């Protein structure tokens, strides 16, 4: 990792954690370079990257300061929410979800029904692993729609995916693991979270068939976190041959696969395969949440664990908190039981497939030479740019066109010679706003390639 990248990450972290507030002046590149004992070019590069990402604002005669649009509140330990920026910027960064589609009336009816029927048991403390009736409903639902092979007693309801990952990291450490394989490109927030939890994330390359199992086998890790249905951020699906190879790898090293099924609900017809867990319930830990399909505010997630890991995870959870809200667990179970959840997902799936089709058509018409990876699924689009198109220059050009977007290297763990790319998140933007954002990217592309 270069000095410029280290400095960029350190400054970004200070901004996100609120240590540097919007409007705060930062030292000049010359002064900061002298203070740190590095070349001024290192600071200039870090400042330019943060400016392109919307964290810093440079104005002639006024110096550089933290942008008013910079994110200063962390919405999740893994996927910080980017608030809608001011000044008519179109935010096409990843991490958002379409909370405007939350089924408010159905949820109110479910909550009302649950509260009306609640007795002493329902209003008391829920078991740390979740209410039995909610776990029973969820186990049945995951079996029906994802092919997950589990029993309610091996299913834990967590406070979102973040808590589930934290529990898994701790249990893996207790079982002798000191590393965890992660997809590269992948989720930078998860890498930091894993490192903070005491495991070293080891990047495993991804190609158009999904995670490279041959590279995984050479890495020496014995556990891996993967998104097989729709890889984040490329959107590619792990093909059937690789799925089998991945399970064989886990058995050969006596290890585990953590399957993050975060957006399987939006998988198109070409990518609708059963969960990887269905192939090896003894080796795959299945994880999901309601954050992308309902709303992050619910803080509802789940883990389906191999039998040998259930008790250690339950003991650890019992020492952490008193479980999730029992009433929200019951409301969610009722949403599933009444069919309202299925209806909501069908509407949401159709909407996101429409948005992806909009992206696909726009690329075909207005971005010659650009390739869209993945199939017809996902919450973001990974656009591979021509080699002559400088990635960071594209990000900055889009910013000048009032569009916030991130380059592919933002999601890279290894510093290698991968093609330039843009990752366009469309989960949090609708209709005309998405169209205007894509038009801004097309204009920026023309600016860069001439």
């Amino acid at each position: 990792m270069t000095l410029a990248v280290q400095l960029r990450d350190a400054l970004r972290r200070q901004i996100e954690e609120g240590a540097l507030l919007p409007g705060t002046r930062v030292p000049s590149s010359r002064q900061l370079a002298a203070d740190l004992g590095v070349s001024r070019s290192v600071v200039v590069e870090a400042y330019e990257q943060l400016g392109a990402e919307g964290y810093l604002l440079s104005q002639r005669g006024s110096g550089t300061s933290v942008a008013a649009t910079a994110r200063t509140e962390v919405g999740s330990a893994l996927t910080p929410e980017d608030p809608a920026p001011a000044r008519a910027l179109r935010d096409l960064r990843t991490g958002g979800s379409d909370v405007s589609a939350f089924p408010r009336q159905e949820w109110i009816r479910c909550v009302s029904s649950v509260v009306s029927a609640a007795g002493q048991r329902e209003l008391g403390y829920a078991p740390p692993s979740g209410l039995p009736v909610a776990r029973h409903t969820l186990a049945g639902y995951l079996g029906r729609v994802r092919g997950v092979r589990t029993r309610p007693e091996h299913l834990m309801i967590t406070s979102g995916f973040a808590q589930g990952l934290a529990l898994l990291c701790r249990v893996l450490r207790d079982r002798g693991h000191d590393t965890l394989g992660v997809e590269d490109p992948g989720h930078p927030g998860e890498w930091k979270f894993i490192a903070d939890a005491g495991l070293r994330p080891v990047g495993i390359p991804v190609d158009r068939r999904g995670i490279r199992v041959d590279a995984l086998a050479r890495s020496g890790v014995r556990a891996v976190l993967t998104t097989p249905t729709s890889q984040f951020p490329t959107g590619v699906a792990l093909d059937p041959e690789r799925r089998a190879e991945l399970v064989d790898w886990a058995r050969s090293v006596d290890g585990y696969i953590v399957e993050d099924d975060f957006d399987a609900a939006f998988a198109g017809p070409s990518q609708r395969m059963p969960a990887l867990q269905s192939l090896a319930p003894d080796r795959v830990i299945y994880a999901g949440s309601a954050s992308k399909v309902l709303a992050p505010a619910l803080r509802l997630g789940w883990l389906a664990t191999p039998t040998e890991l259930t008790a250690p995870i339950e003991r650890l959870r019992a020492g952490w908190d008193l479980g999730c809200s029992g009433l929200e667990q019951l409301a969610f179970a009722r949403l599933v039981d009444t069919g309202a959840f299925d209806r909501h997902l069908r509407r949401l799936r159709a909407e996101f497939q429409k948005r992806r089709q909009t992206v696909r058509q726009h690329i075909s018409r207005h971005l010659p030479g650009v390739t869209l990876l993945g199939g017809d699924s996902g919450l973001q689009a990974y656009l591979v740019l021509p080699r002559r198109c400088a990635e960071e220059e594209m990000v900055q050009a889009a910013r000048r066109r009032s569009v916030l977007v991130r380059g592919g290297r933002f999601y890279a763990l290894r510093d290698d010679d991968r093609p330039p790319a843009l990752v366009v998140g469309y989960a949090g933007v609708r209709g005309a706003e998405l169209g205007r954002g894509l038009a801004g990217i097309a204009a920026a592309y023309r600016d860069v390639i001439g």
Side-chain angles (χ1 to χ4, degrees), residues 109 135 224 311 421 445:
R109 282 193 288 270
R135 295 160 74 184
V224 64
Y445 185 63

Side-chain angles (χ1 to χ4, degrees), residues 132-215:
V133 63
R135 295 160 74 184
H136 178 83
T137 295
L138 185 57
Y141 172 79
L142 294 174
R144 172 169 61 87
V145 302
R146 298 295 298 129
V148 173
R149 296 161 55 193
T150 190
R151 298 177 59 84
E153 57 265 32
H154 298 303
L155 187 66
M156 174 179 285
I157 297 178
T158 62
S159 295
F161 176 68
Q163 185 183 56
L165 182 57
L167 289 165
L168 292 173
C169 287
R170 174 63 181 274
V171 168
L172 288 173
R173 281 177 51 204
D174 291 346
R175 297 176 76 87
H177 294 254
D178 56 10
T179 58
L180 179 64
V182 295
E183 295 172 328
D184 185 9
H187 203 307
E190 289 181 353
W191 304 335
K192 181 180 183 304
F193 189 87
I194 291 165
D196 290 344
L199 296 177
R200 180 170 60 88
V202 176
I204 310 298
V206 172
D207 61 21
R208 298 188 183 217
R209 297 175 56 205
I211 192 169
R212 292 250 319 265
V213 183
D214 59 334

Side-chain angles (χ1 to χ4, degrees), residues 92-163:
L92 299 185
R93 294 175 291 184
T94 59
S97 58
D98 192 357
V99 294
S100 67
F102 183 76
R104 288 171 170 81
Q105 294 305 313
E106 289 91 341
W107 185 257
I108 289 171
R109 282 193 288 270
C110 290
V111 170
S112 177
S113 175
V114 164
V115 172
S116 297
Q120 185 172 351
R121 178 181 300 176
E122 288 76 16
L123 294 174
Y125 290 111
S129 293
L131 290 169
V133 63
R135 295 160 74 184
H136 178 83
T137 295
L138 185 57
Y141 172 79
L142 294 174
R144 172 169 61 87
V145 302
R146 298 295 298 129
V148 173
R149 296 161 55 193
T150 190
R151 298 177 59 84
E153 57 265 32
H154 298 303
L155 187 66
M156 174 179 285
I157 297 178
T158 62
S159 295
F161 176 68
Q163 185 183 56

Side-chain angles (χ1 to χ4, degrees), residues 252-265:
S252 68
V253 299
D254 190 25
Y256 297 104
I257 303 161
V258 183
E259 178 179 13
D260 180 4
D261 210 27
F262 75 104
D263 70 347

Side-chain angles (χ1 to χ4, degrees), residues 247 250 255-259 276-286 304-306:
V247 169
Y256 297 104
I257 303 161
V258 183
E259 178 179 13
L276 183 68
Q277 189 266 4
S278 65
L279 299 180
D282 60 325
R283 289 295 164 190
V284 181
I285 303 157
Y286 179 87
T305 57

Side-chain angles (χ1 to χ4, degrees), residues 14 17 76 116 122 124 205-206 216 225 251 262-263 277 306 323 325 334 345 355 411 447:
Q14 286 188 295
E17 293 176 353
S76 163
S116 297
E122 288 76 16
V206 172
L216 177 64
L225 172 62
R251 296 195 192 285
F262 75 104
D263 70 347
Q277 189 266 4
S325 164
R334 184 159 183 82
L345 290 184
R355 295 185 201 181
Y411 303 89
D447 292 342

